[in-house]
């Protein structure tokens, strides 16, 4: 709910998309239904902390940088998602095709 991913910028602006993605892998980490779209700072902080603690994902994005602009930089979001994907694969949570 409240997540509609259409691009790598505005779709990630509330922090909920990051939270939804992480919640799908770590449903016991937090109560996604209790999150508010307007609580951007808290959403980003929760998502990035969960990614670091549970997936071992390097903190490539800063909460302050994400809330400073109304629309996140698409290249930054894309880079972070690539790193998160790499960490999830390394933990065996995402299966990849063997070549």
């Amino acid at each position: 709910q409240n997540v509609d991913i259409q691009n790598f910028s505005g779709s990630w602006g509330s922090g909920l998309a990051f939270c939804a993605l992480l919640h799908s892998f770590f449903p016991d980490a937090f109560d996604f239904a209790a999150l508010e779209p307007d609580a951007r700072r808290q959403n980003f902080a929760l998502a990035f902390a969960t990614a670091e603690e549970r997936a071992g994902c390097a903190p490539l994005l800063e909460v302050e940088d994400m809330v400073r602009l109304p629309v996140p930089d698409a290249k930054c979001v894309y880079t972070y998602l690539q790193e998160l994907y790499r960490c999830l694969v390394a933990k065996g949570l995402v299966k990849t095709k063997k070549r």
Side-chain angles (χ1 to χ4, degrees):
Q1 189 173 7
N2 296 315
V3 176
D4 181 24
I5 299 173
Q6 299 293 322
N7 54 49
F8 285 105
S9 57
S11 296
W12 301 84
S14 71
L16 285 181
F18 288 108
C19 288
L21 180 60
L22 287 155
H23 190 261
S24 70
F25 287 97
F26 308 106
D28 62 327
F30 54 87
D31 180 7
F32 182 80
L35 301 179
E36 295 292 331
D38 293 336
R40 295 177 68 218
R41 183 178 313 280
Q42 292 85 353
N43 295 340
F44 286 121
L46 177 62
F48 298 160
T50 301
E52 188 172 7
E53 293 166 11
R54 300 284 182 110
C57 186
L60 300 178
L61 297 177
E62 295 287 333
V63 172
E64 291 306 315
D65 292 338
M66 298 302 286
V67 297
R68 185 171 29 98
L69 300 171
V71 177
D73 180 84
K75 290 178 185 175
C76 291
V77 171
Y78 185 77
T79 301
Y80 184 81
L81 292 174
Q82 284 182 311
E83 176 64 10
L84 178 58
Y85 174 77
R86 187 193 66 74
C87 292
L88 293 170
V89 168
K91 288 210 169 274
L93 297 171
V94 174
K95 305 295 182 211
T96 60
K97 288 184 179 180
K98 293 184 180 182
R99 295 181 181 207

